[in-house]
Amino acid sequence: MIYREVPGFRPLELDLTAPDDAVATIVYLHGGGWRRGSRLTPLPGFEHLAEELAAQGFRVAMADYRLSGEATFPAPLEDVRAAIEFVRDGKPVFLWGESAGAHLALLAALGGSEVDGVVAWFPPTDLLGVPAAPDGVSREALLLGAPPESVPELAREASPLSYAHAGAPPVLLMHGEDDDLVPATQSVRLAEALEAVGAPVELHLVPGARHRWTGADPAAVVATSVKFLRAALPR
């Protein structure tokens, strides 16, 4: 279904998978370096994630957002915020994302959107801390419209690390120790920043796992994530 129409852009869609009496809604955001991917391209090994989560009582909204070839930051964050408001039904709302989607989920949650928790799988959290591309045309540069080091204020604005605060919703950071695309230190640094201000955060580094959970046990990372969300449900 269409959740947002921005003049001049493609209609933005999300797919809802819902049990009869959901305990909460999960807005799930795909990865792809902000420049590719869609709600229709799941991680290998996680093709039935929405159905698995629905079977455990969660309403799941797999949402698209504008990619960097369509619009630069903050366009995708604005889309995520719109998706959150579209699915509100009076029950708790969680965000769950992978890589670029986890980055957007963290930005939305830490930057003011009212949500009850975030699951962030291998997220970039500090765009100035990502190694610069030799030619300046990195994923981050395409998102921002310029290399991060040339627009440091915008890069900080687009970095979840900038928004650690005591009133943050519960955050679960999961990262492969051997991530070959987004260093695990990106999650470690955000976890340390949240801990420093007394915000609720869990950090799980998965031994032997690389980006997109290559080398990880899909069932185990999903189980850890669901356990976290159940603990974060309002009492």
Side-chain angles (χ1 to χ4, degrees):
M1 65 183 68
I2 295 172
Y3 75 85
R4 189 178 196 208
E5 293 189 78
V6 181
F9 296 93
R10 63 185 167 105
L12 294 166
E13 298 184 76
L14 59 77
D15 294 333
L16 272 176
T17 304
D20 291 335
D21 188 20
V23 296
T25 295
I26 296 170
V27 177
Y28 190 97
L29 304 169
H30 67 83
W34 308 284
R35 61 178 178 162
R36 63 180 59 176
S38 83
R39 71 190 193 285
L40 303 176
T41 53
L43 286 173
F46 297 85
E47 290 83 359
H48 303 291
L49 180 59
E51 292 81 2
E52 292 171 9
L53 295 175
Q56 298 192 56
F58 293 97
R59 177 174 173 244
V60 183
M62 296 282 193
D64 280 338
Y65 50 84
R66 281 173 288 176
L67 304 177
S68 58
E70 300 172 292
T72 56
F73 183 84
L77 177 59
E78 293 168 352
D79 299 336
V80 170
R81 294 192 190 282
I84 293 168
E85 296 311 313
F86 183 86
V87 301
R88 284 200 191 279
D89 63 355
K91 293 183 179 180
V93 175
F94 295 116
L95 302 180
W96 187 329
E98 60 189 69
S99 197
H103 161 269
L104 295 172
L106 288 167
L107 273 182
L110 299 179
S113 292
E114 291 187 19
V115 297
D116 295 275
V118 186
V119 173
W121 283 356
F122 38 91
T125 66
D126 176 15
L127 301 194
L128 285 169
V130 176
D135 58 1
V137 188
S138 63
R139 293 176 297 275
E140 292 76 22
L142 293 171
L143 172 68
L144 300 175
E149 62 274 14
S150 71
V151 286
E153 289 304 316
L154 181 61
R156 280 188 279 271
E157 181 184 342
S159 296
L161 186 64
S162 302
Y163 301 95
H165 64 284
V171 171
L172 171 65
L173 295 160
M174 296 191 72
H175 219 120
E177 285 187 347
D178 297 333
D179 195 308
D180 50 336
L181 192 59
V182 178
T185 52
Q186 291 274 308
S187 282
V188 172
R189 291 183 62 205
L190 180 57
E192 291 174 345
L194 290 168
E195 288 174 351
V197 295
V201 59
E202 291 183 25
L203 172 65
H204 291 254
L205 299 179
V206 181
R210 300 189 298 280
H211 204 66
R212 293 169 59 84
W213 288 138
T214 301
D217 176 1
V221 294
V222 170
T224 298
S225 302
V226 170
K227 180 180 178 182
F228 168 83
L229 292 186
R230 290 202 177 281
L233 284 168
R235 302 297 181 185

